[in-house]
Amino acid sequence: MKPLSPRHLLTASVLAVGVGLGFAYAQQPDKDVSPEISQQAQEAANNNEPLSAPSDTQSESGVMPESFADLVEQVSPAVVNITTTSVVTQPTQGQGPMFPEGSPFEDLFRDFGFPGAPGQNVPQRSNALGSGFVISADGYIVTNNHVIEGADEIEIEFYSEKTLPAKVVGTDPKTDVALLKVDSEDAIPFVKFGNSDSARVGDWVLALGNPLGQGFSASSGIVSARNRELSGTYDDYLQTDAAINRGNSGGPLFNMKGEVIGVNTAILSPNGGSIGIGFSMTSNVVEKVVSQLQQFGETRRGWLGVKIQDVTPDMAEAMGLSSDGGAMVTDVPEGPALEAGMLAGDVITEFGGQKVDDIRELVQRVADAPVGEPVEVLVQRDGEPITLEVTLGRREIAEGTAANEAGNAAPEESSNQVLGMTLGVLTPEMASQLGVANGMQGLVVEDLDPEGAAADKGISAGDIITGAGQQPVASVADLQARIDEAREAGRKSVLLLIRREGEPRFVALPVDE
């Protein structure tokens, strides 16, 4: 899990290091699927048909069902447990003989590489546990990116207790989605995505997964809220009170029709356990990402090429707009929008024939639009509507995250100087050494200018920067972009989210040129 706020927003995954895992994931729960249902599930897979709820449980009235047992029994064969293995190096702690500091024997043991020598890094095997679900008879499996990130080996355990190795087809850290593939001689029972937009607050939902490594488990609840935004640009979460715990990450959230309307991802908790506030990335977001990962092995999002902000009532009044909806263009760097004639000060009110209410809506619609195809954008300029035809670029290329023509990933900065800090991208090995979750993203403070503002504010080497300007950062470019945005907005400082020994705190650093 990776905490994202002082209120402990945690990803619902389980991490254990070494052989003494201390979790009961080796326990095998009793299987409640009857042989008849198992046979029906296999026949459905052979016929390339998704599993679904029995007709008598598909209530449209919203009345609480007498039991969820039939639904659980029907869809469970498509839910999987995921175990990942990776090798990380950790400094020895309390291993080998102990010598007084400065003893010549200390150097002797270190020089000859005896196991447990003080200061020696020792490889250890790290295991992470999570959940997932099958979406096709030929073995495609959806889970969270943080469940499998950095893994050397991935093993899938099916409800039948059969296990198969999996390979990664593609990942999308921005929505925390990963697509896996297993090879099986037999068709595999699978489930289908439903329309998450049709889910209403108060609808019954069912969460299946592998909580706390206990194996297949079901919990029920309702949709508590919709359209939750946690920390990402493309966030669209369903909030639910169905019990979600560590290990549920990547598992499905079902509606009463047996359709997946969400992927269980995170919980809000003061103690690491479920308190009835869980979040599932909506199926309408996940399904689009999965489709691109299947087709290309990566995401291909549209890119408009503008910097924007929401239109406030005061701004709308000052510009003579009839409403405060839309997205105000604050800058138009070189890119598709500039080529189409868009100007700073334009207010985008429609994109692709659909009304734009705020910047979040615009960002999501642009991302979903096809790359390289023209789209009509309606802007308000000097009180008059103007229609522009913009041929969208690709966001991943603009951000430098897409694969180049040779098929190699664009190189990431290993370190850089920003605001008096020397920063490096957080790697799984660093995460292990710093005692944070393997899936955490951010920048490690490697060194500081002792007379700089960062040092004055109490930032230290080893601190991890996970957010800036209330947005996540995973690269030096991300941080620099947030700093540039703060300067362009006329702000004197940028708010950083710092993690030290897992504990978060905010620090405002000056961004004056």
Side-chain angles (χ1 to χ4, degrees):
M1 288 193 184
K2 48 184 179 181
L4 299 178
S5 78
R7 295 180 299 165
H8 301 287
L9 180 64
L10 308 169
T11 54
S13 62
V14 174
L15 178 67
V17 180
V19 294
L21 299 179
F23 291 104
Y25 69 90
Q27 297 177 3
Q28 297 297 334
D30 293 335
K31 302 303 182 185
D32 293 326
V33 175
S34 65
E36 293 78 8
I37 294 295
S38 296
Q39 180 62 32
Q40 292 174 15
Q42 187 59 56
E43 290 176 357
N46 294 339
N47 295 328
N48 200 28
E49 297 174 353
L51 304 178
S52 62
S55 58
D56 58 352
T57 68
Q58 299 186 26
S59 173
E60 299 289 347
S61 65
V63 177
M64 182 176 182
E66 292 184 2
S67 172
F68 292 91
D70 289 341
L71 174 57
V72 172
E73 188 177 40
Q74 198 73 30
V75 298
S76 289
V79 181
V80 301
N81 292 344
I82 299 176
T83 303
T84 67
T85 303
S86 58
V87 177
V88 297
T89 57
Q90 290 187 320
T92 56
Q93 296 180 354
Q95 300 182 32
M98 300 297 294
F99 302 106
E101 186 175 355
S103 168
F105 291 104
E106 187 177 42
D107 293 334
L108 177 66
F109 268 73
R110 181 183 296 111
D111 293 342
F112 282 89
F114 287 107
Q120 190 179 66
N121 288 330
V122 178
Q124 293 193 21
R125 189 165 292 273
S126 171
N127 296 90
L129 309 175
S131 307
F133 56 97
V134 185
I135 60 168
S136 66
D138 57 349
Y140 282 99
I141 295 170
V142 173
T143 187
N144 282 143
N145 175 61
H146 75 261
V147 170
I148 56 87
E149 190 172 27
D152 298 320
E153 298 176 2
I154 304 173
E155 185 175 75
I156 306 298
E157 179 192 7
F158 295 88
Y159 196 87
S160 62
E161 298 184 11
K162 178 182 180 181
T163 60
L164 289 173
K167 62 181 181 180
V168 178
V169 176
T171 64
D172 179 33
K174 292 186 181 296
T175 56
D176 200 8
V177 171
L179 182 65
L180 311 179
K181 179 71 166 62
V182 296
D183 294 325
S184 173
E185 295 180 357
D186 301 320
I188 302 174
F190 65 99
V191 287
K192 67 177 182 179
F193 289 108
N195 181 10
S196 54
D197 286 346
S198 65
R200 302 176 301 165
V201 174
D203 280 351
W204 287 103
V205 288
L206 176 75
L208 295 184
N210 179 24
L212 299 173
Q214 292 295 315
F216 293 95
S217 180
S219 59
S220 65
I222 62 170
V223 175
S224 303
R226 292 167 37 87
N227 304 122
R228 290 299 199 202
E229 182 179 4
L230 300 183
S231 61
T233 305
Y234 307 107
D235 283 2
D236 185 11
Y237 286 97
L238 294 175
Q239 180 184 326
T240 178
D241 65 348
I244 295 174
N245 285 287
R246 295 173 182 255
N248 274 114
S249 271
L253 187 73
F254 289 102
N255 61 18
M256 291 298 96
K257 297 179 182 179
E259 300 169 334
V260 178
I261 59 170
V263 178
N264 301 322
T265 302
I267 59 176
L268 191 63
S269 173
N271 54 21
S274 173
I275 59 171
I277 305 178
F279 300 95
S280 300
M281 181 64 76
T282 58
S283 59
N284 285 3
V285 170
V286 175
E287 189 172 15
K288 293 171 185 174
V289 171
V290 167
S291 176
Q292 292 190 345
L293 295 180
Q294 278 185 297
Q295 186 175 359
F296 307 114
E298 59 186 355
T299 55
R300 298 189 176 183
R301 294 187 171 95
W303 178 58
L304 186 59
V306 293
K307 295 182 179 180
I308 53 178
Q309 70 179 74
D310 283 325
V311 179
T312 65
D314 290 344
M315 292 168 59
E317 191 276 333
M319 292 185 292
L321 301 177
S322 58
S323 69
D324 57 1
M328 176 82 167
V329 179
T330 60
D331 189 25
V332 190
E334 186 173 345
L338 183 63
E339 294 174 1
M342 195 171 294
L343 302 175
D346 288 350
V347 177
I348 301 173
T349 56
E350 288 187 13
F351 180 86
Q354 293 183 301
K355 183 181 177 182
V356 173
D357 291 322
D358 52 37
I359 62 173
R360 181 187 178 198
E361 195 172 78
L362 176 62
V363 169
Q364 292 177 340
R365 286 184 181 161
V366 171
D368 291 341
V371 175
E373 296 186 13
V375 60
E376 288 190 349
V377 182
L378 180 64
V379 303
Q380 298 291 326
R381 181 183 298 170
D382 298 327
E384 298 293 331
I386 298 177
T387 299
L388 303 175
E389 188 174 86
V390 183
T391 300
L392 298 179
R394 184 179 168 197
R395 187 179 182 94
E396 290 84 358
I397 293 177
E399 292 181 338
T401 59
N404 58 28
E405 292 182 357
N408 298 316
E412 178 64 274
E413 310 98 327
S414 59
S415 66
N416 208 344
Q417 291 279 346
V418 180
L419 299 180
M421 300 176 290
T422 302
L423 304 174
V425 175
L426 180 66
T427 65
E429 291 76 14
M430 291 180 182
S432 176
Q433 293 173 4
L434 295 171
V436 298
N438 191 38
M440 180 179 287
Q441 290 187 320
L443 300 172
V444 178
V445 179
E446 297 177 344
D447 197 7
L448 297 99
D449 177 358
E451 298 181 357
D456 288 342
K457 293 287 187 177
I459 295 177
S460 303
D463 286 351
I464 302 172
I465 302 173
T466 59
Q470 296 182 307
Q471 296 187 48
V473 294
S475 66
V476 175
D478 287 346
L479 177 58
Q480 191 61 58
R482 303 292 82 78
I483 294 171
D484 292 342
E485 290 171 2
R487 287 171 176 159
E488 291 168 7
R491 292 190 290 272
K492 296 181 180 180
S493 61
V494 62
L495 195 64
L496 303 184
L497 178 56
I498 305 290
R499 296 192 178 279
R500 180 180 298 170
E501 297 179 353
E503 293 299 318
R505 68 186 183 105
F506 287 97
V507 175
L509 288 186
V511 294
D512 296 328
E513 295 286 356

